[in-house]
């Protein structure tokens, strides 16, 4: 079974569909024609279309990974921790959740969450995945695990045997790895960008080592791959729908995972993977499609004048306009990648670059060099310190006991027409999981789209859209007190400082654009979240 796309209540006009078939886009895309996105995108596109071949070229990894997994299990190493950000961790997380196999994904700088991942070290193998090999979060986690293994009494050689690395040839990580004596190194195809790498070594290595059937995943993708040169194949249909919705002013794609795929499992967490693909690929040059990951098909935000609902999985969506996309996970990965590339052509952007991601990273580095700036809260109410920029707190009475509620109302009121609110939580995805409830609570209180992202993970995903997409966002940033910090070995900062610098760096990037931003710092994380959720209930 490949992919099947059904459209409900959306007109897909010939002005969108016609040019795609007349210009022979399906055949040209499969032939890796780098001119499809215009002359300015050509040099990048020329080195970014390798993902089309992955269902076939990744086959050679399957038996190698089965052997490696058997070797590890034979040595009692059955707990896999994945250190990686964005395109280097979102796909394995979906693959393993869908397959029901355990994988610890560490895509954070939160000290508590990093410390919690350093559990059960005697059973643990760490997969370090980074395409560029230079991502600060991943490098910091690698350093921390080396230290933790050393503290647990392992010698240098034994420590190296606990690491498996996935990176591009010639990256700084590939060089470090040789020096570390890593057990295995998988060099990925450099002609595949991070967010298109689900079916490459980045998606497959951690998933296979955790016990997922990656051979079946590739076979599912292959079933779709053979159709992709045909006009009106399902992935082209999906891309056409995304483009048509955008042209009709529906530039928010509310994404929900629907029921299970016949006999197959529900695609757990697929929205988070698709979010990065779509937001980072299309959110630039002042336009883009904003993915809004929903908790369920009928969650708040599933409909609206600027919304298209996308349901991944079987079952006809209850709301209109909507697009239902059913099919197994391997076909979904390839289909959404192809559809995003097609939508990129309709939008007139380069779907393979991420021009605004570096900005927050540079701000972070500057703050790490200069030290965290002294900031005074406008008010402290219960367990919440309130800070604001972009004029969001002007005229708000923070002296009253419902000051936080008033500040949030002011933030919501600042959202322009067709705008959105982004909640960005630099907290512990496990221990502070209740923060996720803020999305639905705020979406109930607003007519606008509301997204939720864990920091710094979203910086590698919707962060591009926030800065490069239309400047119609309002932002709620959450940070929290660090109970126990952890030094990043051989660096002049701790995880807590790095996390705070990342939050500060992103605040600066948004403030430079005069975006309304409310920053709430929780002086007690659990009490602060309870207070916030109670305020919104
Ligand atoms: O795999 P890495 O090079 O570590 O990159 C991880 C992530 O970092 C960057 O922020 C990119 O914008 C993402 O597309 C990428 O997936």
């Amino acid at each position: 079974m490949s992919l099947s796309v059904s459209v409900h209540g959306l007109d897909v006009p010939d002005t969108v569909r016609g040019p795609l078939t007349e210009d022979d886009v399906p055949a040209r895309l499969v032939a890796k024609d780098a001119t499809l996105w215009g002359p300015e995108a050509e040099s990048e596109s020329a080195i970014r279309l390798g993902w089309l071949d992955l269902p076939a070229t990744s086959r050679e990894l399957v038996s190698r990974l089965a052997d490696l997994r058997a070797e590890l299990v034979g040595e009692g190493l059955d707990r896999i921790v994945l250190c990686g950000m964005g395109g280097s961790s979102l796909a394995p997380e979906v693959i393993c959740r869908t397959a029901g196999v355990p994988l610890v994904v560490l895509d954070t700088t939160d000290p508590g969450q990093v410390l919690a991942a350093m559990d059960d070290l005697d059973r643990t193998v760490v997969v370090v995945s980074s395409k560029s090999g230079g991502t600060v979060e991943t490098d910091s986690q690698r350093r921390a695990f080396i230290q933790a293994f050393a503290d647990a009494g392992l010698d240098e050689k034994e420590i190296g045997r606990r690491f498996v690395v996935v990176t591009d040839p010639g990256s700084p990580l590939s060089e470090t790895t040789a020096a570390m004596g890593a057990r295995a190194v998988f060099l990925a195809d450099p002609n595949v960008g991070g967010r298109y790498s689900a079916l490459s070594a980045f998606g497959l290595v951690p998933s296979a080592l955790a016990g997922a059937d990656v051979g079946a995943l590739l076979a599912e993708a292959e079933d779709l791959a053979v159709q992709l040169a045909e006009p009106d194949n399902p992935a082209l249909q999906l891309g056409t729908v995304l483009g048509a919705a955008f042209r009709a002013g529906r530039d928010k794609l509310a994404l929900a995972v629907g029921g299970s795929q016949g006999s197959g499992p529900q695609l757990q967490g697929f929205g988070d993977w698709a979010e990065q693909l779509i937001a980072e690929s299309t959110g630039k040059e002042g336009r883009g499609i904003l993915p809004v990951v929903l908790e369920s098909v009928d969650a708040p935000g599933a409909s609206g004048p600027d919304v298209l609902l996308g349901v991944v999985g079987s079952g006809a969506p209850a709301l209109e306009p909507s697009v239902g996309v059913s099919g197994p996970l391997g076909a979904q990965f390839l289909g959404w990648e192809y559809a995003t590339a097609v939508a990129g052509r309709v939008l007139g952007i380069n779907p393979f670059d991420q021009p605004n991601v570096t900005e927050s990273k540079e701000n972070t580095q500057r703050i790490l060099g200069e030290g965290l700036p002294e900031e005074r809260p406008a008010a402290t109410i219960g367990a919440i310190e309130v800070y604001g920029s972009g004029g969001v707190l002007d005229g708000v009475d923070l002296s009253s006991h419902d000051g936080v509620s008033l500040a949030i109302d002011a933030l919501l009121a600042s959202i322009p027409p067709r705008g959105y609110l982004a909640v960005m939580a630099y907290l512990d995805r496990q221990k502070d999981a209740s923060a996720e409830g803020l999305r639905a609570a705020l979406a109930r209180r607003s007519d606008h789209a509301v997204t939720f992202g864990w920091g710094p993970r979203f910086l590698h995903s919707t962060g591009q859209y926030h800065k490069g997409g239309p400047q119609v966002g309002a932002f709620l940033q959450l940070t929290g007190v660090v109970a126990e910090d952890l030094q990043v070995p051989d660096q002049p900062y701790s995880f807590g400082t790095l996390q705070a610098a990342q939050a500060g760096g992103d605040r600066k990037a948004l403030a430079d654009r005069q975006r309304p931003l409310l920053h709430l710092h929780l002086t007690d994380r659990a009490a602060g979240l309870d207070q916030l959720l109670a305020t919104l209930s």
Side-chain angles (χ1 to χ4, degrees), residues 84-88 129-135 138 193-195 202 276 280 354 357 361 459-461 464:
M85 302 304 294
S88 295
S129 285
S130 175
K131 224 184 140 45
S132 61
T135 299
T138 314
R195 55 188 180 269
F202 286 100
Q276 186 209 11
E280 215 177 39
Q354 52 283 324
V357 168
K361 290 184 189 171
L459 290 174
H460 304 271
S461 165
Q464 165 61 37

Side-chain angles (χ1 to χ4, degrees), residues 75-78 119-125 149 152 154 162:
E75 291 175 34
L77 299 171
D78 60 355
D119 196 23
D120 272 347
L121 286 180
D122 51 341
R123 293 171 43 213
T124 297
V125 169
F149 284 127
L154 273 64
R162 296 302 189 92

Side-chain angles (χ1 to χ4, degrees), residues 266-499:
Q266 209 185 18
L267 307 181
Q268 307 260 347
F270 188 83
D272 291 334
W273 174 81
E275 179 187 56
Q276 186 209 11
L277 176 70
I278 296 164
E280 215 177 39
S281 299
T282 70
K284 53 198 69 160
E285 297 178 39
R287 69 199 103 133
I289 299 170
L290 177 68
V292 180
V293 180
L294 301 180
E295 299 75 11
S296 63
V297 179
D298 51 5
S303 62
D306 53 354
V307 176
L308 170 73
L309 173 63
V311 180
V312 180
S314 59
L319 292 165
E320 293 188 349
S322 58
V323 56
V325 187
S326 57
L329 184 56
Q332 294 274 2
F333 280 141
L334 184 61
W336 284 87
E337 287 164 358
Y338 184 106
T340 302
V342 170
R345 182 174 160 99
V346 177
L347 266 70
I349 47 85
N350 172 1
F352 305 112
D353 66 355
Q354 52 283 324
N356 304 96
V357 168
T358 42
E359 199 177 322
S360 295
K361 290 184 189 171
E362 282 163 9
N363 288 343
T364 299
Q365 287 307 328
R366 201 172 314 119
I367 294 173
L368 285 174
E370 292 168 2
L372 296 171
E374 281 288 321
E375 285 173 276
R376 286 174 65 85
T380 302
I381 304 166
I384 300 175
E385 289 176 356
V386 182
Y387 304 79
S389 60
V392 77
L393 292 177
D394 293 354
V396 177
D397 178 9
L398 291 172
S399 64
S400 80
H401 73 281
D402 57 354
V404 172
S405 181
L406 295 174
I408 288 172
D409 283 340
L411 180 66
L412 293 175
S414 75
I415 305 173
R418 304 174 45 76
Y420 66 95
L421 172 70
V423 184
M424 313 171 295
Y426 290 78
L427 298 171
D428 181 330
R429 184 142 86 94
Q430 255 91 48
K431 279 205 195 114
D432 306 319
S434 67
E436 268 173 333
L438 291 168
R439 197 210 70 81
L442 286 158
R444 263 182 227 112
R445 214 164 154 143
S446 171
D447 291 334
H448 297 282
V450 180
T451 64
F452 179 90
W454 293 106
R457 154 173 139 146
F458 79 86
L459 290 174
H460 304 271
S461 165
T462 40
Q464 165 61 37
Y465 181 99
H466 294 168
K467 270 92 63 182
Q471 292 305 292
V472 289
F475 299 87
L476 173 59
Q477 188 186 82
L478 300 178
T479 55
V481 69
V482 171
E484 186 185 354
D485 207 351
L486 176 69
Q487 186 61 30
V488 179
D490 302 320
Q491 295 290 12
Y493 47 80
S494 65
F495 278 93
T497 307
L498 175 56
Q499 184 186 36

